[in-house]
Amino acid sequence: MPRPLQLVLDGEEFSVSLSKLDRESLYGKVEIEAFDEKKRPAAIKVLAADGNTLIDKGGTALEMVTVNGDSIERSEIKTVDKDGRPIEPVKSSFGSPNTLSPADVDDYLSLIVKSVYMLEAAPDSTMDLLGDHISDGRIYSFPFSYRDGIESDQAFILGNAANEAFMVIGQQATLKYLELNQASTLDTVEEDEVSADDLSFDLL
């Protein structure tokens, strides 16, 4: 069972469980199976650099190396900004309560959506308070990180007419409005009218 997410609204704490919504759960999926001439299932293999060796699934791996090509453990890697200063890691949102703040609809509409979850009350908890707040179209937000990392996403909680609650997660888009630096006029040059007397058919 997924870990419950603790939320705080108007000083009241409650827990919710997340059910991810994706295209597969909404519309189903189609799987394509390939077989050889003897009706045996085909499998994807990796062709090695020598052009002859076939590597089966699980036969390759990623290795982290330094600029000199020396192997390095993941625990030795430190995240820094462009100036070389260490970046403070972000803890998972499942580890502590998350306080909901009122959000503006414009902020929600400028979100680059990464994932959508349906919210349900966790065992021994209730979402009545949240339902009362989002039933009239109000939106709430908080920083969200599914696991420990170097940055958090923004989560928006909103409801629909069926009194269902959803959490939409993504990053805020940076919108730049464009305008003309200089107004210009379109030249509309009308062609001179040609009369029938000006036409000559001598060369035809």
Side-chain angles (χ1 to χ4, degrees), residues 2 24 72 105 112 124 180 197:
E24 181 177 324
I72 185 174
V105 66
I112 301 176
D124 302 325
L180 293 176
D197 296 336

Side-chain angles (χ1 to χ4, degrees), residues 70-148:
D70 300 323
S71 178
I72 185 174
E73 296 293 334
R74 182 179 294 271
S75 59
E76 300 179 52
I77 298 176
K78 304 297 181 183
T79 305
V80 297
D81 60 17
K82 62 181 181 179
D83 297 321
R85 294 187 296 263
I87 296 178
E88 190 69 25
V90 175
K91 295 294 184 181
S92 171
S93 298
F94 292 93
S96 59
N98 304 274
T99 301
L100 304 184
S101 302
D104 187 87
V105 66
D106 290 335
D107 292 333
Y108 170 68
L109 293 177
S110 66
L111 188 72
I112 301 176
V113 177
K114 295 172 59 176
S115 53
V116 179
Y117 294 89
M118 187 172 184
L119 302 183
E120 296 180 348
D124 302 325
S125 187
T126 177
M127 286 179 26
D128 294 341
L129 177 64
L130 178 63
D132 292 340
H133 281 64
I134 63 177
S135 60
D136 58 0
R138 280 179 283 182
I139 303 175
Y140 292 88
S141 178
F142 68 98
F144 177 82
S145 179
Y146 198 91
R147 56 182 60 86
D148 295 347

Side-chain angles (χ1 to χ4, degrees), residues 5-22:
L5 181 68
Q6 295 176 292
L7 302 177
V8 179
L9 180 59
D10 290 348
E12 182 174 325
E13 184 176 326
F14 56 95
S15 299
V16 297
S17 58
L18 310 182
S19 298
K20 188 171 185 178
L21 300 180
D22 51 25

